[in-house]
Amino acid sequence: GEDVEQSLFLSVREGDSSVINCTYTDSSSTYLYWYKQEPGAGLQLLTYIFSNMDMKQDQRLTVLLNKKDKHLSLRIADTQTGDSAIYFCAESPNTGNQFYFGTGTSLTVIP
Amino acid sequence: KAGVTQTPRYLIKTRGQQVTLSCSPISGHRSVSWYQQTPGQGLQFLFEYFSETQRNKGNFPGRFSGRQFSNSRSEMNVSTLELGDSALYLCASSLGISVEKLFFGSGTQLSVL
């Protein structure tokens, strides 16, 4: 199967920027995604980027994609305590309608 | 527009029993996928249905099965439960033929004792 990797933990101070990194394996993926999971909840689609783009900005969220290195990052500007959650990156190769998720990065925002 | 609805929210079963979980997708969505989430293995794909047909299946034993009805609602069944089946089971729906964006329900937390 695919191997999508993320660091497990990230801790930032409220008001700082957070950067969550991800490496993926399948260059055929048309889209790459970021999901957020709060305790006891399902996954919420935060944003996604088309594979022929380098960057996408959506309010406080900026997604950067480096296709050559198969590296995806999510930057959260002005991080708030409500951003504390687990963040998953995901890829969806062009076959099988199956998503491959990373291990998740637990973001803790310190007031 | 209502989101993806999963029932029940919590289940406690004992080894050897079977369980059925239900998922109602977002109105108009025709694809339903199921994922298992555990602390050790993360999110793993179980299967995906579109128009009542299973299009893809993950690497799970035959004890795990599913189906989709004509109204796009889906059920998954796990027979002969094992302790290792304890997990959060997540259902996700997507609009159509190609699964471009997945929208998840809150999940069913299954505990096997």
Side-chain angles (χ1 to χ4, degrees):
Chain A
E2 306 301 331
D3 197 9
V4 182
E5 295 190 352
Q6 300 177 238
S7 52
L8 288 180
F9 302 101
L10 176 65
S11 182
V12 300
R13 294 211 169 269
E14 190 174 18
D16 288 350
S17 292
S18 308
V19 179
I20 302 170
N21 295 301
C22 169
T23 56
Y24 61 97
T25 56
D26 196 316
S27 58
S28 74
S29 294
T30 303
Y31 292 97
L32 294 142
Y33 307 83
W34 284 102
Y35 281 84
K36 175 184 179 183
Q37 186 176 35
E38 298 185 61
L43 274 69
Q44 173 195 353
L45 177 62
L46 278 180
T47 187
Y48 61 98
I49 187 168
F50 192 56
S51 59
N52 69 353
M53 296 171 64
D54 298 323
M55 185 182 85
K56 179 180 179 182
Q57 188 150 0
D58 186 358
Q59 299 183 329
R60 292 190 299 122
L61 305 178
T62 303
V63 179
L64 295 177
L65 175 60
N66 180 329
K67 280 196 77 173
K68 175 175 164 291
D69 295 336
K70 296 181 185 171
H71 184 265
L72 183 73
S73 68
L74 174 69
R75 179 178 180 269
I76 305 172
D78 187 26
T79 312
Q80 302 298 306
T81 53
D83 295 324
S84 292
I86 300 177
Y87 291 81
F88 293 90
C89 65
E91 62 172 342
S92 179
N94 284 338
T95 57
N97 293 321
Q98 173 179 350
F99 278 39
Y100 293 92
F101 289 86
T103 50
T105 299
S106 178
L107 173 64
T108 300
V109 181
I110 304 164
Chain B
K1 207 177 206 182
V4 178
T5 304
Q6 291 189 246
T7 56
R9 186 73 180 89
Y10 301 95
L11 266 178
I12 300 175
K13 293 285 187 180
T14 56
R15 279 180 299 175
Q17 287 187 309
Q18 75 162 16
V19 67
T20 300
L21 313 181
S22 180
C23 172
S24 293
I26 292 170
S27 178
H29 284 197
R30 295 168 63 192
S31 166
V32 173
S33 303
W34 288 88
Y35 286 80
Q36 181 196 65
Q37 186 178 24
T38 59
Q41 299 296 317
L43 281 147
Q44 293 189 290
F45 173 75
L46 281 155
F47 23 66
E48 187 254 343
Y49 289 87
F50 178 79
S51 291
E52 302 178 68
T53 301
Q54 186 183 88
R55 291 198 294 189
N56 194 13
K57 188 177 191 305
N59 190 24
F60 278 82
R63 300 185 297 106
F64 291 81
S65 63
R67 59 178 174 167
Q68 186 181 32
F69 302 96
S70 59
N71 62 357
S72 295
R73 191 177 69 85
S74 177
E75 290 180 347
M76 68 162 280
N77 184 77
V78 188
S79 62
T80 320
L81 283 165
E82 301 177 0
L83 295 179
D85 297 334
S86 295
L88 180 66
Y89 290 88
L90 292 163
C91 167
S93 76
S94 182
L95 189 58
I97 295 173
S98 69
V99 179
E100 289 185 353
K101 285 178 273 185
L102 287 177
F103 296 90
F104 282 85
S106 297
T108 295
Q109 183 67 55
L110 172 64
S111 298
V112 182
L113 306 178

